[in-house]
Amino acid sequence: MYALGIDIGGTKTAIGLVTTTGDVVGYDKLPTDQTIEPTKMIERIIVHVKTLLEKHRIDDNQLYGIGIGAPGPLDISHGMITYPPNLPRWRNVPVVKLMSAYFSVPIRLENDASCAAVAEHSFGASQHYTDSLYVTISTGIGAGIISKNTLISGGKGNAGDVGHMVIDPSFGECVCGQYGCFEHICSGTAISREASKLKGTSISTEEAFRLYEAQDKDMVPYLDTVIERMGMALVSLINSLDPEIVVIGGGVSQVGDTLFEPIRHYVKRYTLNKDAGDTPIVPAKLNQEAGIIGAAALVSPEI
């Protein structure tokens, strides 16, 4: 038996056929075309799903279901993608209903960060823990929360939307209208934006960290502050959620110990419960496949 995972993103949509051991045995992807109506994009996804299943000779009897991960906000009780900032045309899109017209298996929608949290919990960095927090720091920032081996979704599926937790209003206005959001300060998008302003030319997040490691006079004080703000956010999350482990994924996490060591040092110093200062803070193991593996795990009773 298999489960199918779909990870809908702002630039691409990934589709994976996943075994109960978390192995991706079939994979496809397509651009997320934001110039067309969401219903047309979903039709394209359906065609790719059918093609992938036919290629591997999988029928509905061999499929536990289809899990879908998507950026929030969502309304998972109605299977709807409601108002994601990075999918500006996707407003109250009944993705589960639209797909159910073509497939007879169970279909479940969850936040993409929650899917990644499930994947890491089932097969990755947090699989030996009952309570874990997954934080993705990439184009945006989000989180997935596992408590007592159970995904915490919240009322409509938006638990873990930590990117819009205010940590320092002095950094200015976020796209959400608040000042000083975690995402506005610490996401890859934010780092690239501010580094480019500092250097007067287009700078990627990766380039910004290379300059930081080379002791660039502009980048060192700037990224020292950003990394400290990441530490502040994680202290608040650890104080609030009391996880046994924190897993950090997303593109920014690829920086490695340059990022992780100062964050661990900050957390050790400032968590309210001093025992929590030793909470492991580790990089994700599954990276790019986490979204589809976690989405598939949502509908697989054996995971």
Side-chain angles (χ1 to χ4, degrees), residues 133-286:
L133 173 68
Y134 172 87
V135 181
T136 179
I137 304 178
S138 188
T139 304
I141 291 178
I145 305 160
I146 304 288
S147 179
K148 306 305 178 192
N149 294 318
T150 301
L151 175 67
I152 304 300
S153 294
K156 292 195 172 185
N158 299 306
D161 199 354
V162 302
H164 297 281
M165 174 175 66
V166 173
I167 55 173
D168 189 341
S170 72
F171 274 77
E173 187 175 5
C174 178
V175 293
C176 76
Q178 294 196 103
Y179 284 74
C181 289
F182 186 13
E183 181 172 296
H184 180 69
I185 299 168
C186 300
S187 67
T189 304
I191 292 169
S192 175
R193 180 191 67 235
E194 296 304 319
S196 297
K197 288 179 185 176
L198 283 170
K199 304 309 292 182
T201 187
S202 180
I203 298 286
S204 69
T205 304
E206 185 179 6
E207 289 168 335
F209 274 99
R210 279 204 297 266
L211 289 168
Y212 177 71
E213 289 169 350
Q215 297 296 302
D216 180 86
K217 65 180 179 63
D218 298 312
M219 218 52 64
V220 168
Y222 164 62
L223 281 175
D224 276 347
T225 302
V226 168
I227 293 169
E228 183 182 68
R229 297 304 181 270
M230 289 183 189
M232 289 179 182
L234 289 178
V235 165
S236 292
L237 291 169
I238 290 169
N239 285 346
S240 300
L241 300 170
D242 196 24
E244 295 174 285
I245 187 171
V246 176
V247 179
I248 301 180
V252 177
S253 71
Q254 302 301 307
V255 172
D257 282 345
T258 299
L259 181 74
F260 281 84
E261 285 305 315
I263 287 176
R264 291 174 183 133
H265 180 76
Y266 189 95
V267 166
K268 186 169 183 64
R269 184 176 180 185
Y270 289 110
T271 48
L272 188 62
N273 174 1
K274 292 310 172 186
D275 291 340
D278 294 320
T279 302
I281 300 172
V282 302
K285 284 189 176 179
L286 301 175

